[in-house]
Amino acid sequence: MPQSPTGRPTLEDVARLADVSLGSASRALSDPGLVKPKTLKRVTQAVEQLGYVRNGAARALASRRTFSVGAVYPTLHNPAFADSIHALQQTLWGFGYQLVVASHEYVEEREYEVVRSIVERGVDGLILVGVEHDQQVFDLVRHRKLPLVLTWSLEQPPYGHTVGFSNRQAAYDLTRAVLAKGHKDIAVVCGSRKHNERARQRVSGTADAMADHGLTLREDWIVEQPLSVEGGKLAMRHILAMAQRPTAVMCNTDTLAIGALHECRMHGIVVPDEMSITGYDDIELASLTIPPLATVHIPTAQMGTLSARRLVGLIEDRDLGETPALSHEVIIRESLGQAPSTRRRKKAPDVHDRGAR
Amino acid sequence: MPQSPTGRPTLEDVARLADVSLGSASRALSDPGLVKPKTLKRVTQAVEQLGYVRNGAARALASRRTFSVGAVYPTLHNPAFADSIHALQQTLWGFGYQLVVASHEYVEEREYEVVRSIVERGVDGLILVGVEHDQQVFDLVRHRKLPLVLTWSLEQPPYGHTVGFSNRQAAYDLTRAVLAKGHKDIAVVCGSRKHNERARQRVSGTADAMADHGLTLREDWIVEQPLSVEGGKLAMRHILAMAQRPTAVMCNTDTLAIGALHECRMHGIVVPDEMSITGYDDIELASLTIPPLATVHIPTAQMGTLSARRLVGLIEDRDLGETPALSHEVIIRESLGQAPSTRRRKKAPDVHDRGAR
DNA sequence: CTGAAAGCGCTAACAC
DNA sequence: GTGTTAGCGCTTTCAG
């Protein structure tokens, strides 16, 4: 039984064994409807007998299609992104696409390298987080006319489509809920805002809501820390050491908030009686902390699913119309309480404030 | 400027512009040391000028190397796996490899399909979780002599190498700690044990430790539930409804334990006074629950890093010797207390019991 | 060190 | 429907 030099059987081997032409064998595998049932059967049998597995590289080279898409996230080490990637991968799989993932760990310069490397390798489309990227990234992708979907944001990018929600509006809505509890002294904990429009918009959403209330978000009450539990602890430690303390600390992610919550406990500060804390994302554990964390629910899984759908639509040239903005939802839980000076009762009722963009 | 029919410049275009042969251009890019500095420079310039990006499919076809590896996990929706994947991806990246991920969501039959599809697409190596896989999976991989690394376990697989820790020993050690607190009535909550040697070994580690203490793990106190917070809640609800209740519930994952903890709180059961709960994995949040969760620390990130290293070693034919078993560590925290009948004081001291394989 | 040439395994026209 | 034939863009001998 003659085989190619690599040892693995090739389509040619299959064709020979099935006694059909190379072309028919190829058709039988990629579009069975194109061949006579009899031919199909013979090919299938030969495939089985040989243990033949198609060679993706050869297919890709000849057809210019890889049936895989790339996704570059800031980090996989974040439950919200992990959720989204999970949904993304599942949906892509359903469409017959594979997922190549990578992360740049918030190192701005690295994103281009990562994207470039993924593009070199060959993908039919690309998913990135946020609309703000190095010009080189956009140039590369646009130059190759590679379908591009940007998630987690809503602004118009220089190139590509967006599937996301309004970070500013979500922050605005959550902040209104905080203001409604009588808080006037509000601090914000966020990740680096440089090269990250999501962080900036969350902060400015809060600032706007405060401004609409006649308040100002103090610049020195905006604390930047790495987006981790540890970062949240550090930020809260920093805040607790301030001469004048805020009565509410709004964290840009739940992870940060969980760290902040923990730090308060360490210092004997009772949340929400002495200090209110809010998060952002509504990860699964947000409802399980003590006290449960007030936050904004972000459609993480939905973004994964919809960006997959949209990207495949772009790749396969199907029109899907514009994806509407996804909606967030303010989730009031007990970590948010009345501001100390205005407090009447110990516990605020557990209100669910539905918000749209 | 002549270009290939795809519109994108090819290596041939680069060679022409640089006025060198195709071969030299190729060498300049893949192994710069092979060409004269002058040649290199001309090629580099041409690349720059053309905005040339290599075609991975063509490279793969000609060289039989894809510089990517596949990883099939049970699910990405699990902090422990997410951690491991994160480390895996980072390390692979450092070696110049890309990661193609997929999950089978604990659907046994699906794993083969997923693996097959990844192999078709083309990867230089594969990472799977656990040593128990469908025979077809092993056959496929072995037949193609594809380097294979199995993680999260330690047993000898029919094919491939293992990078992991002993699930049984970890469970055994943790159970000893539970027994040391005077517990005799111990229940276990785990995921499906079918097709999952990890789950089985954790359970049997507990059973063994109990047996060594003259106790028996009751079959009807082994509760199988999906590995999620929700599963943990359901399991605990089930347990609390039992005529005779255990005094300690050992959950196979922290996620499960967090759900169980929460359910206890809902029912007004005080942990650990009335009920002790333990987890497994030591995810970041385990130390932040109330009360903090006793668990076993699993080297998730280390497994990612080491399996990447080992796999690349196999691919590039470098000998790395055998990877030693990774060690776990029993982490005693307050969710584990004295068994009610033997309790003397309210809080057990926060002991860190170092354990090895 | 460089150029020429032969594929890698497949898809996609194109005739039949 | 099916067979034939060009490539897809690159790496890798092999001479020189």
Side-chain angles (χ1 to χ4, degrees), chain B residues 278-329:
Chain B
T278 64
Y280 202 114
D281 287 346
D282 192 31
I283 61 176
E284 187 173 28
L285 286 144
S287 65
L288 304 174
T289 57
I290 296 184
L293 190 63
T295 187
V296 191
H297 181 82
I298 295 310
T300 47
Q302 207 186 358
M303 273 190 288
T305 305
L306 293 186
S307 23
R309 203 171 289 166
R310 173 135 210 102
L311 187 58
V312 172
L314 289 168
I315 293 171
E316 302 182 347
D317 224 26
R318 267 185 275 110
D319 190 5
L320 298 167
E322 267 311 307
T323 307
L326 304 182
S327 60
H328 57 266
E329 182 181 349

Short mmCIF file of all heavy atoms in Angstrom, two decimals, chain B residues 278-329:
data_model
loop_
_atom_site.label_atom_id
_atom_site.label_comp_id
_atom_site.label_asym_id
_atom_site.label_seq_id
_atom_site.Cartn_x
_atom_site.Cartn_y
_atom_site.Cartn_z
N THR B 278 -15.08 21.26 53.03
CA THR B 278 -13.77 21.44 52.42
C THR B 278 -13.91 21.47 50.91
O THR B 278 -14.88 20.97 50.36
CB THR B 278 -12.80 20.29 52.78
OG1 THR B 278 -13.30 19.06 52.25
CG2 THR B 278 -12.64 20.15 54.29
N GLY B 279 -12.92 22.04 50.28
CA GLY B 279 -12.92 22.14 48.82
C GLY B 279 -11.74 21.37 48.23
O GLY B 279 -11.22 20.44 48.85
N TYR B 280 -11.33 21.81 47.07
CA TYR B 280 -10.24 21.14 46.37
C TYR B 280 -9.88 22.05 45.20
O TYR B 280 -10.75 22.41 44.40
CB TYR B 280 -10.75 19.79 45.84
CG TYR B 280 -9.68 18.76 45.55
CD1 TYR B 280 -9.60 17.59 46.30
CD2 TYR B 280 -8.77 18.94 44.51
CE1 TYR B 280 -8.64 16.62 46.02
CE2 TYR B 280 -7.81 17.98 44.24
CZ TYR B 280 -7.76 16.82 44.99
OH TYR B 280 -6.81 15.86 44.71
N ASP B 281 -8.64 22.45 45.12
CA ASP B 281 -8.07 23.29 44.05
C ASP B 281 -7.36 24.52 44.61
O ASP B 281 -6.34 24.93 44.10
CB ASP B 281 -9.12 23.82 43.04
CG ASP B 281 -9.64 22.75 42.10
OD1 ASP B 281 -9.02 21.68 42.03
OD2 ASP B 281 -10.68 22.98 41.45
N ASP B 282 -7.98 25.11 45.66
CA ASP B 282 -7.45 26.36 46.20
C ASP B 282 -7.44 27.47 45.16
O ASP B 282 -6.40 28.07 44.89
CB ASP B 282 -6.04 26.17 46.79
CG ASP B 282 -5.59 27.38 47.60
OD1 ASP B 282 -6.47 28.04 48.21
OD2 ASP B 282 -4.38 27.67 47.62
N ILE B 283 -8.60 27.72 44.57
CA ILE B 283 -8.70 28.85 43.65
C ILE B 283 -8.56 30.14 44.47
O ILE B 283 -8.67 30.12 45.70
CB ILE B 283 -10.04 28.87 42.89
CG1 ILE B 283 -11.24 28.98 43.84
CG2 ILE B 283 -10.16 27.61 42.03
CD1 ILE B 283 -12.56 29.08 43.11
N GLU B 284 -8.28 31.20 43.79
CA GLU B 284 -7.99 32.45 44.48
C GLU B 284 -9.06 32.81 45.51
O GLU B 284 -8.77 33.30 46.59
CB GLU B 284 -7.87 33.58 43.45
CG GLU B 284 -7.41 34.88 44.06
CD GLU B 284 -7.13 35.94 43.00
OE1 GLU B 284 -7.75 35.88 41.92
OE2 GLU B 284 -6.28 36.82 43.27
N LEU B 285 -10.32 32.54 45.18
CA LEU B 285 -11.38 32.97 46.06
C LEU B 285 -11.58 32.10 47.28
O LEU B 285 -12.32 32.46 48.20
CB LEU B 285 -12.67 33.07 45.27
CG LEU B 285 -12.59 34.31 44.39
CD1 LEU B 285 -13.26 34.08 43.06
CD2 LEU B 285 -13.19 35.49 45.12
N ALA B 286 -10.91 30.97 47.31
CA ALA B 286 -11.12 30.06 48.44
C ALA B 286 -10.74 30.71 49.77
O ALA B 286 -11.33 30.44 50.80
CB ALA B 286 -10.31 28.79 48.22
N SER B 287 -9.77 31.59 49.72
CA SER B 287 -9.33 32.20 50.97
C SER B 287 -10.21 33.39 51.35
O SER B 287 -10.08 33.96 52.42
CB SER B 287 -7.88 32.67 50.84
OG SER B 287 -7.81 33.69 49.87
N LEU B 288 -11.12 33.74 50.46
CA LEU B 288 -11.90 34.95 50.69
C LEU B 288 -13.35 34.67 51.08
O LEU B 288 -14.10 35.59 51.34
CB LEU B 288 -11.87 35.81 49.42
CG LEU B 288 -10.46 36.18 48.94
CD1 LEU B 288 -10.53 36.92 47.62
CD2 LEU B 288 -9.75 37.03 49.99
N THR B 289 -13.73 33.42 51.08
CA THR B 289 -15.10 33.11 51.48
C THR B 289 -15.22 33.30 52.99
O THR B 289 -14.23 33.46 53.69
CB THR B 289 -15.46 31.65 51.14
OG1 THR B 289 -14.50 30.79 51.78
CG2 THR B 289 -15.42 31.40 49.65
N ILE B 290 -16.47 33.28 53.45
CA ILE B 290 -16.68 33.37 54.88
C ILE B 290 -17.46 32.16 55.33
O ILE B 290 -18.59 31.99 54.88
CB ILE B 290 -17.46 34.64 55.25
CG1 ILE B 290 -16.61 35.85 54.86
CG2 ILE B 290 -17.75 34.67 56.76
CD1 ILE B 290 -17.24 37.15 55.26
N PRO B 291 -16.94 31.32 56.15
CA PRO B 291 -15.55 31.33 56.59
C PRO B 291 -14.62 30.90 55.45
O PRO B 291 -15.09 30.26 54.52
CB PRO B 291 -15.54 30.28 57.71
CG PRO B 291 -16.61 29.33 57.30
CD PRO B 291 -17.68 30.17 56.68
N PRO B 292 -13.35 31.24 55.54
CA PRO B 292 -12.40 30.83 54.50
C PRO B 292 -12.41 29.32 54.34
O PRO B 292 -12.61 28.58 55.30
CB PRO B 292 -11.06 31.32 55.04
CG PRO B 292 -11.41 32.47 55.93
CD PRO B 292 -12.71 32.07 56.57
N LEU B 293 -12.18 28.90 53.13
CA LEU B 293 -12.37 27.50 52.78
C LEU B 293 -11.11 26.64 52.95
O LEU B 293 -10.06 26.94 52.39
CB LEU B 293 -12.82 27.44 51.32
CG LEU B 293 -13.30 26.12 50.76
CD1 LEU B 293 -14.55 25.67 51.49
CD2 LEU B 293 -13.56 26.27 49.27
N ALA B 294 -11.26 25.57 53.71
CA ALA B 294 -10.18 24.58 53.82
C ALA B 294 -10.17 23.82 52.50
O ALA B 294 -11.22 23.45 51.98
CB ALA B 294 -10.45 23.64 54.98
N THR B 295 -8.98 23.58 51.98
CA THR B 295 -8.91 22.97 50.65
C THR B 295 -7.54 22.35 50.41
O THR B 295 -6.72 22.28 51.33
CB THR B 295 -9.24 24.06 49.59
OG1 THR B 295 -9.34 23.47 48.31
CG2 THR B 295 -8.19 25.15 49.58
N VAL B 296 -7.30 21.89 49.23
CA VAL B 296 -5.96 21.41 48.87
C VAL B 296 -5.45 22.28 47.75
O VAL B 296 -6.15 22.46 46.74
CB VAL B 296 -5.98 19.96 48.32
CG1 VAL B 296 -4.55 19.44 48.24
CG2 VAL B 296 -6.83 19.08 49.16
N HIS B 297 -4.29 22.80 47.92
CA HIS B 297 -3.74 23.62 46.85
C HIS B 297 -3.21 22.72 45.74
O HIS B 297 -2.41 21.83 45.97
CB HIS B 297 -2.61 24.51 47.37
CG HIS B 297 -2.05 25.37 46.29
ND1 HIS B 297 -2.62 26.55 45.91
CD2 HIS B 297 -0.98 25.20 45.48
CE1 HIS B 297 -1.94 27.08 44.91
NE2 HIS B 297 -0.93 26.28 44.63
N ILE B 298 -3.69 23.00 44.53
CA ILE B 298 -3.28 22.23 43.36
C ILE B 298 -2.40 23.13 42.50
O ILE B 298 -2.71 24.30 42.31
CB ILE B 298 -4.54 21.83 42.57
CG1 ILE B 298 -5.41 20.89 43.39
CG2 ILE B 298 -4.18 21.19 41.24
CD1 ILE B 298 -4.66 19.73 43.96
N PRO B 299 -1.32 22.60 41.97
CA PRO B 299 -0.41 23.44 41.18
C PRO B 299 -0.92 23.70 39.77
O PRO B 299 -0.32 23.28 38.79
CB PRO B 299 0.87 22.60 41.16
CG PRO B 299 0.40 21.20 41.28
CD PRO B 299 -0.82 21.23 42.12
N THR B 300 -2.03 24.42 39.68
CA THR B 300 -2.66 24.64 38.37
C THR B 300 -1.75 25.35 37.37
O THR B 300 -1.57 24.89 36.25
CB THR B 300 -3.95 25.48 38.51
OG1 THR B 300 -3.67 26.60 39.35
CG2 THR B 300 -5.07 24.68 39.13
N ALA B 301 -1.22 26.47 37.79
CA ALA B 301 -0.38 27.25 36.88
C ALA B 301 0.88 26.45 36.52
O ALA B 301 1.31 26.40 35.37
CB ALA B 301 -0.01 28.58 37.50
N GLN B 302 1.42 25.82 37.54
CA GLN B 302 2.64 25.04 37.32
C GLN B 302 2.40 23.93 36.30
O GLN B 302 3.25 23.64 35.46
CB GLN B 302 3.07 24.44 38.66
CG GLN B 302 4.55 24.19 38.75
CD GLN B 302 4.90 23.44 40.03
OE1 GLN B 302 4.02 23.16 40.87
NE2 GLN B 302 6.17 23.11 40.20
N MET B 303 1.23 23.32 36.38
CA MET B 303 0.92 22.28 35.40
C MET B 303 0.89 22.85 34.00
O MET B 303 1.36 22.22 33.05
CB MET B 303 -0.41 21.61 35.73
CG MET B 303 -0.23 20.46 36.70
SD MET B 303 -1.73 19.51 36.87
CE MET B 303 -2.73 20.64 37.81
N GLY B 304 0.32 24.05 33.88
CA GLY B 304 0.28 24.68 32.56
C GLY B 304 1.69 24.93 32.04
O GLY B 304 2.04 24.55 30.92
N THR B 305 2.49 25.53 32.89
CA THR B 305 3.85 25.86 32.50
C THR B 305 4.66 24.62 32.16
O THR B 305 5.31 24.55 31.12
CB THR B 305 4.55 26.59 33.67
OG1 THR B 305 3.75 27.71 34.03
CG2 THR B 305 5.93 27.03 33.28
N LEU B 306 4.59 23.64 33.05
CA LEU B 306 5.41 22.46 32.83
C LEU B 306 4.92 21.60 31.67
O LEU B 306 5.72 20.98 30.98
CB LEU B 306 5.48 21.62 34.11
CG LEU B 306 6.25 22.31 35.24
CD1 LEU B 306 6.40 21.38 36.43
CD2 LEU B 306 7.63 22.75 34.75
N SER B 307 3.62 21.55 31.46
CA SER B 307 3.20 20.73 30.32
C SER B 307 3.59 21.41 29.02
O SER B 307 3.95 20.73 28.06
CB SER B 307 1.71 20.38 30.35
OG SER B 307 0.98 21.27 31.09
N ALA B 308 3.54 22.73 29.01
CA ALA B 308 4.00 23.44 27.81
C ALA B 308 5.47 23.11 27.56
O ALA B 308 5.86 22.74 26.45
CB ALA B 308 3.84 24.94 28.00
N ARG B 309 6.25 23.21 28.61
CA ARG B 309 7.68 22.97 28.48
C ARG B 309 7.95 21.55 28.01
O ARG B 309 8.73 21.30 27.11
CB ARG B 309 8.32 23.21 29.85
CG ARG B 309 9.78 23.53 29.77
CD ARG B 309 10.30 23.97 31.13
NE ARG B 309 9.80 25.28 31.52
CZ ARG B 309 9.87 25.77 32.76
NH1 ARG B 309 10.42 25.05 33.73
NH2 ARG B 309 9.41 26.96 33.03
N ARG B 310 7.25 20.64 28.63
CA ARG B 310 7.47 19.25 28.29
C ARG B 310 7.03 18.95 26.85
O ARG B 310 7.73 18.26 26.11
CB ARG B 310 6.69 18.36 29.26
CG ARG B 310 6.69 16.92 28.92
CD ARG B 310 6.95 16.05 30.15
NE ARG B 310 7.63 14.85 29.73
CZ ARG B 310 8.90 14.64 29.85
NH1 ARG B 310 9.66 15.53 30.45
NH2 ARG B 310 9.45 13.54 29.42
N LEU B 311 5.90 19.49 26.48
CA LEU B 311 5.39 19.23 25.13
C LEU B 311 6.34 19.78 24.08
O LEU B 311 6.68 19.11 23.10
CB LEU B 311 4.00 19.84 24.96
CG LEU B 311 3.30 19.48 23.65
CD1 LEU B 311 3.16 17.98 23.50
CD2 LEU B 311 1.93 20.13 23.56
N VAL B 312 6.79 20.99 24.29
CA VAL B 312 7.72 21.59 23.34
C VAL B 312 9.01 20.77 23.31
O VAL B 312 9.60 20.55 22.25
CB VAL B 312 8.02 23.06 23.70
CG1 VAL B 312 9.12 23.61 22.83
CG2 VAL B 312 6.76 23.89 23.53
N GLY B 313 9.42 20.28 24.46
CA GLY B 313 10.59 19.41 24.52
C GLY B 313 10.39 18.19 23.64
O GLY B 313 11.26 17.80 22.86
N LEU B 314 9.23 17.59 23.74
CA LEU B 314 8.93 16.40 22.94
C LEU B 314 8.91 16.74 21.45
O LEU B 314 9.47 16.02 20.62
CB LEU B 314 7.57 15.82 23.34
CG LEU B 314 7.50 15.15 24.71
CD1 LEU B 314 6.06 14.88 25.10
CD2 LEU B 314 8.31 13.85 24.70
N ILE B 315 8.28 17.85 21.14
CA ILE B 315 8.16 18.26 19.74
C ILE B 315 9.54 18.51 19.14
O ILE B 315 9.84 18.08 18.04
CB ILE B 315 7.33 19.55 19.61
CG1 ILE B 315 5.87 19.29 19.99
CG2 ILE B 315 7.42 20.12 18.21
CD1 ILE B 315 5.03 20.54 20.11
N GLU B 316 10.37 19.19 19.92
CA GLU B 316 11.67 19.56 19.38
C GLU B 316 12.73 18.53 19.72
O GLU B 316 13.92 18.78 19.58
CB GLU B 316 12.04 20.96 19.88
CG GLU B 316 10.99 21.97 19.45
CD GLU B 316 11.30 23.39 19.86
OE1 GLU B 316 12.21 23.58 20.70
OE2 GLU B 316 10.63 24.31 19.35
N ASP B 317 12.25 17.42 20.22
CA ASP B 317 13.13 16.29 20.42
C ASP B 317 14.25 16.58 21.42
O ASP B 317 15.36 16.09 21.27
CB ASP B 317 13.75 15.91 19.08
CG ASP B 317 13.73 14.41 18.92
OD1 ASP B 317 12.86 13.79 19.54
OD2 ASP B 317 14.60 13.88 18.21
N ARG B 318 13.93 17.42 22.37
CA ARG B 318 14.90 17.67 23.42
C ARG B 318 14.55 16.77 24.59
O ARG B 318 13.37 16.59 24.91
CB ARG B 318 14.81 19.12 23.89
CG ARG B 318 15.79 20.02 23.16
CD ARG B 318 15.77 21.41 23.72
NE ARG B 318 14.73 22.22 23.14
CZ ARG B 318 13.64 22.63 23.80
NH1 ARG B 318 13.46 22.28 25.07
NH2 ARG B 318 12.74 23.36 23.20
N ASP B 319 15.54 16.24 25.22
CA ASP B 319 15.25 15.37 26.36
C ASP B 319 15.16 16.21 27.62
O ASP B 319 16.00 17.05 27.90
CB ASP B 319 16.36 14.33 26.52
CG ASP B 319 15.95 13.27 27.52
OD1 ASP B 319 14.80 13.32 27.99
OD2 ASP B 319 16.79 12.41 27.84
N LEU B 320 14.12 15.99 28.38
CA LEU B 320 13.94 16.77 29.60
C LEU B 320 13.94 15.87 30.82
O LEU B 320 13.77 16.33 31.94
CB LEU B 320 12.62 17.52 29.54
CG LEU B 320 12.47 18.53 28.41
CD1 LEU B 320 11.02 18.95 28.29
CD2 LEU B 320 13.36 19.73 28.68
N GLY B 321 14.14 14.59 30.60
CA GLY B 321 14.03 13.66 31.73
C GLY B 321 12.57 13.56 32.12
O GLY B 321 11.72 14.22 31.52
N GLU B 322 12.28 12.76 33.09
CA GLU B 322 10.89 12.64 33.51
C GLU B 322 10.50 13.84 34.37
O GLU B 322 11.28 14.32 35.19
CB GLU B 322 10.70 11.35 34.31
CG GLU B 322 10.25 10.17 33.46
CD GLU B 322 9.07 10.51 32.55
OE1 GLU B 322 8.05 10.99 33.06
OE2 GLU B 322 9.19 10.29 31.33
N THR B 323 9.29 14.32 34.18
CA THR B 323 8.80 15.38 35.05
C THR B 323 8.40 14.74 36.37
O THR B 323 7.67 13.76 36.39
CB THR B 323 7.55 16.05 34.45
OG1 THR B 323 7.86 16.46 33.13
CG2 THR B 323 7.15 17.25 35.29
N PRO B 324 8.89 15.27 37.46
CA PRO B 324 8.53 14.69 38.75
C PRO B 324 7.07 15.00 39.08
O PRO B 324 6.49 15.92 38.50
CB PRO B 324 9.46 15.40 39.72
CG PRO B 324 9.75 16.71 39.07
CD PRO B 324 9.72 16.46 37.59
N ALA B 325 6.51 14.24 39.96
CA ALA B 325 5.14 14.51 40.39
C ALA B 325 5.11 15.90 41.03
O ALA B 325 6.02 16.27 41.77
CB ALA B 325 4.71 13.47 41.41
N LEU B 326 4.10 16.66 40.72
CA LEU B 326 3.98 17.98 41.33
C LEU B 326 3.33 17.81 42.69
O LEU B 326 2.58 16.87 42.93
CB LEU B 326 3.14 18.88 40.44
CG LEU B 326 3.69 18.99 39.02
CD1 LEU B 326 2.84 19.94 38.19
CD2 LEU B 326 5.13 19.49 39.05
N SER B 327 3.62 18.74 43.58
CA SER B 327 3.09 18.53 44.92
C SER B 327 1.88 19.39 45.22
O SER B 327 1.71 20.48 44.70
CB SER B 327 4.18 18.78 45.95
OG SER B 327 4.64 20.10 45.85
N HIS B 328 1.05 18.86 46.03
CA HIS B 328 -0.14 19.58 46.47
C HIS B 328 0.14 20.05 47.90
O HIS B 328 1.18 19.74 48.47
CB HIS B 328 -1.33 18.63 46.46
CG HIS B 328 -1.13 17.42 47.31
ND1 HIS B 328 -0.65 16.23 46.80
CD2 HIS B 328 -1.28 17.22 48.64
CE1 HIS B 328 -0.54 15.36 47.77
NE2 HIS B 328 -0.90 15.93 48.90
N GLU B 329 -0.80 20.79 48.45
CA GLU B 329 -0.61 21.26 49.81
C GLU B 329 -1.96 21.40 50.49
O GLU B 329 -2.85 22.08 49.97
CB GLU B 329 0.11 22.61 49.78
CG GLU B 329 0.40 23.18 51.15
CD GLU B 329 1.09 24.54 51.06
OE1 GLU B 329 1.50 24.92 49.95
OE2 GLU B 329 1.20 25.22 52.10
#
